[in-house]
Amino acid sequence: MNAVLQAWEARGHDGAWVFSGTGSVDGAWLQARVALWRERLSRCAAQRVATRLDNGVDWLCLDIALRQIGAVHVPLPMFFSPTQIDHALQSASVDTLVLPGPFPAPEGWTRTDARADSNEPALHQRLVSTVHALLHPGTAVITYTSGTTAQPKGVCLTFDHLTQVAQVLTDAAAPCAPRRHLCLMPLATLLENVGGLYAPMLAGAEICLPSLAEIGYSGAGGLDIAQLLRCLHHYQPHSMILLPQLLRALVMAAEAGASLPTSLRFIAVGGARVGAALIERAMALGLPVFEGYGMSECASVVCLNRPDAWRAGSVGRALPHVALHLGEGDVLEVQGPHMLGYLGQPAAAAGRWRTGDLGRIDEDGFVHVLGRADNVIVTAYGRNVAPEWVESELLQHAVISQVAMFGEAQAFNTAVIVPRSADTTVAALSAAVRQCNADLPEYARIAAFVVADAPFQLANGQLTANGRPRRAVIAQHYADALLKLSPQAELLGIDMLSPGTSQGDWRDLSAPLSPTPLPQGERG
């Protein structure tokens, strides 16, 4: 039997070990709940089941029930647009859809197995049966990547692969002995599913499953920091998983005087580049932060800093089940188990998986991720710049909430900046950019910026699920404003690098340029 299912069965006699906003539940209740889900799914002859549920005990119990009956689970994030949901349902040939009770049946589906309690998750089935699209043999989960379009890719994974990753995560955190994990990311996110459910189950730890509203999330990207702090103090977790922007919010709150629970022992952070300065600030506050790296195609985490193997600025060493190498163009490649293949595409070839991420591996085996190869900016002077690097430096400043950098084939770099608040002035943003520029080489500095008219969000298509900016969408939205930024401007006190000038001697050859004023709100 699969190790996660073995652990689940073994905990059937445990006392309370799952907690939510509605209270705590013990092993016997959980086993009964899973049995009820198995019965409901069997009545519907469910084979491919898409779920779109809030975080909570039912998400966990339904997932275990699906694993027990061997059905395919297709978790749908709550933030998916109607177009993305329809694409996932069609491409995976989903036959059963589970929605919160109050949600109406979507067009083409009928509600079945109605429950007396309207808040009970409801099962829906297609009005017209569909021919099941072929799946890669062994598929247990189809997780959809954020994608760069309205049609994200479906990644087919086996349950044994997910369990393997959960086990190595359990082993990596073992020196910190976390006995209570708080799920802060949506459970439809593969990282929280594996690291927040399966890993604690294998470790015999408690799991806290507050709703997204109890955590402090609102809408497609809003976060109430005060509510998040209340959630942390209420559950007193030992471990949790954070995206960089969530870590940054907690660090800024703590630096402003907010108290954080002293229970924390292991905080994993990943999903996007984390600035080394942010990690240092977190560590200075006593936060046990361990940066990692992974991808859906490899069932989530492949590298992680650990208590006994930690290096600032890195994402840690490869976990025991994989090895990392540098391929052509310094792109990281993962040797070890990876996905079966993308849904509707040929099976993934055996051997190394090319990640698309630029990196380096130091002499001690610590991996450093520099940014996406596809995102690298080549300036008009032939300089290569990974925008994630510059963006992570800018995000250390309290007045900047989000940023996207541009500069492909340009004589200077620009950015779109989302201020921390509506009261933030252009002067304050300019000061932050100048300060950041002082620590950057000339070719990486920001020469001018546009103030965003709204935050980057999932809802407006400008943000991925794991918090990365969608640069192509942002560039298109702000195309006119970016074009108005004069290529001759030395807006932030930068001596522009002249063609043919080497990085070492440019100061002797370039002359200061006269600043060119820009309209209010479009300059630094």
Side-chain angles (χ1 to χ4, degrees):
M1 181 186 291
N2 175 277
V4 167
L5 295 182
Q6 284 182 326
W8 176 267
E9 293 295 333
R11 304 196 67 180
H13 302 291
D14 286 358
W17 62 276
V18 174
F19 304 86
S20 71
T22 58
S24 60
V25 291
D26 60 21
W29 188 95
L30 291 166
Q31 297 279 8
R33 189 65 177 171
V34 169
L36 177 61
W37 273 113
R38 286 201 310 268
E39 179 188 347
R40 296 178 67 186
L41 292 167
S42 297
R43 284 203 300 267
C44 296
Q47 299 179 54
R48 301 183 189 184
V49 182
T51 59
R52 193 165 184 242
L53 298 176
D54 195 355
N55 282 17
V57 177
D58 264 315
W59 205 107
L60 167 62
C61 292
L62 175 55
D63 183 72
I64 294 296
L66 290 169
R67 303 282 67 82
Q68 290 179 341
I69 66 175
V72 178
H73 192 183
V74 186
L76 300 177
M78 295 294 284
F79 56 76
F80 260 21
S81 69
T83 300
Q84 290 173 319
I85 293 170
D86 184 65
H87 168 72
L89 296 176
Q90 295 294 335
S91 61
S93 298
V94 169
D95 54 60
T96 305
L97 174 62
V98 184
L99 297 175
F103 278 34
E107 185 176 355
W109 295 74
T110 182
R111 182 167 177 159
T112 60
D113 189 38
R115 313 293 294 180
D117 183 357
S118 61
N119 292 319
E120 182 86 0
L123 276 64
H124 302 76
Q125 293 188 288
R126 291 183 182 274
L127 290 171
V128 178
S129 61
T130 182
V131 177
H132 276 180
L134 292 177
L135 292 183
H136 297 287
T139 297
V141 172
I142 302 174
T143 184
Y144 280 86
T145 63
S146 302
T148 55
T149 69
Q151 295 189 347
K153 294 180 179 179
V155 176
C156 298
L157 299 163
T158 70
F159 188 35
D160 284 343
H161 190 181
L162 300 180
T163 300
Q164 183 181 30
V165 176
Q167 185 62 64
V168 295
L169 291 177
T170 300
D171 297 340
C176 296
R179 306 303 303 162
R180 173 176 289 195
H181 180 84
L182 173 60
C183 295
L184 291 179
M185 297 173 63
L187 292 174
T189 304
L190 187 64
L191 176 56
E192 192 69 83
N193 188 176
V194 174
L197 296 184
Y198 300 158
M201 270 190 270
L202 290 171
E206 298 172 345
I207 301 174
C208 302
L209 293 171
S211 67
L212 297 178
E214 187 183 354
I215 295 169
Y217 292 112
S218 61
L223 178 67
D224 184 335
I225 301 300
Q227 178 58 35
L228 173 61
L229 291 170
R230 285 191 288 269
C231 182
L232 295 181
H233 283 288
H234 174 72
Y235 288 102
Q236 293 290 311
H238 296 160
S239 64
M240 56 190 187
I241 303 169
L242 302 179
L243 294 176
Q245 60 267 38
L246 208 56
L247 174 63
R248 182 166 175 258
L250 288 178
V251 167
M252 292 178 64
E255 289 174 340
S259 66
L260 299 178
T262 58
S263 59
L264 293 167
R265 302 176 186 175
F266 191 93
I267 302 174
V269 59
R273 182 183 172 91
V274 186
L278 178 58
I279 297 293
E280 292 171 2
R281 289 163 64 190
M283 298 295 280
L285 292 166
L287 293 173
V289 177
F290 299 92
E291 185 178 359
Y293 165 74
M295 64 219 72
S296 298
E297 289 83 352
C298 293
S300 194
V301 187
V302 296
C303 290
L304 184 65
N305 278 292
R306 287 156 267 180
D308 55 350
W310 181 88
R311 178 157 295 176
S314 81
V315 294
R317 290 176 175 151
L319 291 168
H321 69 302
V322 295
L324 264 75
H325 308 271
L326 285 185
E328 182 180 355
D330 289 337
V331 172
L332 291 168
E333 295 180 349
V334 179
Q335 181 178 334
H338 52 254
M339 68 171 182
L340 298 169
Y342 291 116
L343 188 63
Q345 296 187 21
R352 297 181 182 180
W353 176 259
R354 189 171 171 86
T355 67
D357 290 310
L358 294 173
R360 67 180 179 87
I361 303 173
D362 66 27
E363 64 280 4
D364 296 318
F366 286 91
V367 179
H368 302 255
V369 179
L370 307 179
R372 292 291 295 172
D374 291 345
N375 290 339
V376 168
I377 292 170
V378 182
T379 71
Y381 304 129
R383 300 291 190 186
N384 293 349
V385 185
E388 294 93 341
W389 161 42
V390 178
E391 291 163 356
S392 66
E393 295 300 318
L394 286 165
L395 287 171
Q396 302 307 312
H397 295 271
V399 297
I400 297 177
S401 176
Q402 295 170 306
V403 62
M405 175 186 174
F406 305 96
E408 178 67 27
Q410 300 298 314
F412 72 127
N413 300 316
T414 60
V416 176
I417 296 177
V418 178
R420 171 61 56 184
S421 72
D423 298 329
T424 303
T425 65
V426 172
L429 294 174
S430 298
V433 175
R434 287 193 184 95
Q435 185 178 349
C436 178
N437 281 342
D439 296 324
L440 293 172
E442 289 76 17
Y443 64 87
R445 293 176 178 173
I446 300 297
F449 63 85
V450 172
V451 179
D453 53 31
F456 307 152
Q457 294 181 328
L458 294 162
N460 59 23
Q462 295 175 8
L463 198 68
T464 68
N466 53 12
R468 293 195 295 260
R470 296 184 188 272
R471 291 180 180 81
V473 177
I474 295 168
Q476 182 178 13
H477 183 79
Y478 293 98
D480 291 342
L482 288 168
L483 284 173
K484 292 177 183 177
L485 299 178
S486 170
Q488 302 302 317
E490 187 196 29
L491 298 175
L492 299 170
I494 302 172
D495 293 326
M496 298 305 297
L497 191 62
S498 300
T501 304
S502 70
Q503 184 178 354
D505 63 6
W506 73 272
R507 294 178 184 277
D508 298 326
L509 300 178
S510 62
L513 301 175
S514 301
T516 303
L518 293 176
Q520 180 70 20
E522 295 181 349
R523 68 168 189 166

